[in-house]
Amino acid sequence: MEQYEKLAELMLEREREGRPFTFYHYMIDLTGGPCIYKRISGCGSGTEYMAVTPWGDLYPCHQFVGDEKFRLGSIYEGVTNTDIQQEFSDCNVYAREECRNCWARLYCSGGCAANAYHATGKITGIYEYGCKLFKKRMECAIAVAVARMLGNK
C-alpha cells in the first residue's frame, strides 16, 4: 500500500517535470465515468461476455476455464447451464453484504467474481486482501485526479 502512495507521488512529480506517465489503475473520471448499471453490475462475466476455449466451451471468464461447474455450454450448443449464468447475473455490488456500506463499492462493483470464488467458495464472496488493495488504489487515484484538478500543486 505504501508503494501505491509512492507511485502517486512520483506520477505527480514527473508531471510537474513534463515527463508524465500513465498507470492504468489510476485512470479515473471523477466527473462522469461508467453508467450506474456498470457501476452496480461490474465486469459482466457470464452475462455480457464469456471466455471461449479453443474447443468451443463457454465459461463466465478465463479464470473459470476447466472447472466443469462453471461450464456454460459451447459455441455449438449455446448456453445450456442457465442456472450458473443466472448466478452471475445476480452477482453485483448489492449481492455482497460487505459492500453495502463501502465508500468504494461503485468503483469496484463488488470485485472480481473469480477472486471471490477462489478465496471463499462463492462468487458473491469477498476477497478481503484484494478489496483492501483496491481501496488503496482508489484513494491514490482520487488523490492524483484532485491534484491535477488543482493544478498539481
Side-chain angles (χ1 to χ4, degrees):
M1 293 201 196
E2 185 180 309
Q3 293 301 312
Y4 280 134
E5 290 178 9
K6 288 180 179 182
L7 178 61
E9 290 171 9
L10 178 64
M11 287 178 73
L12 293 172
E13 179 184 318
R14 292 270 306 265
E15 254 182 53
R16 284 190 295 272
E17 296 171 354
R19 301 181 308 129
F21 65 92
T22 302
F23 179 54
Y24 172 79
H25 293 290
Y26 287 5
M27 294 171 65
I28 185 170
D29 180 354
L30 296 177
T31 61
C35 66
I36 191 64
Y37 172 79
K38 283 307 292 174
R39 289 177 182 250
I40 292 170
S41 66
C43 72
S45 60
T47 56
E48 295 177 35
Y49 78 86
M50 297 172 216
V52 182
T53 69
W55 306 273
D57 293 325
L58 301 173
Y59 288 88
C61 88
H62 68 282
Q63 293 189 69
F64 291 104
V65 168
D67 187 333
E68 283 302 305
K69 173 184 175 182
F70 292 103
R71 185 179 178 276
L72 293 170
S74 77
I75 59 172
Y76 306 106
E77 61 192 358
V79 173
T80 56
N81 191 347
T82 55
D83 291 342
I84 288 293
Q85 190 173 47
Q86 187 60 50
E87 276 188 53
F88 278 85
S89 181
D90 295 340
C91 184
N92 62 60
V93 71
Y94 294 110
R96 296 169 169 92
E97 183 68 34
E98 300 90 339
C99 298
R100 291 209 174 122
N101 296 313
C102 176
W103 67 268
R105 71 184 173 277
L106 295 180
Y107 288 107
C108 77
S109 308
C112 172
N115 287 345
Y117 178 74
H118 293 115
T120 70
K122 302 182 305 181
I123 63 170
T124 56
I126 297 293
Y127 173 49
E128 289 185 39
Y129 184 69
C131 181
K132 289 176 185 175
L133 283 175
F134 183 86
K135 285 192 266 190
K136 178 47 108 177
R137 279 197 317 262
M138 289 309 304
E139 287 175 12
C140 292
I142 291 168
V144 167
V146 169
R148 287 176 176 154
M149 292 166 112
L150 296 174
N152 193 2
K153 297 176 183 177

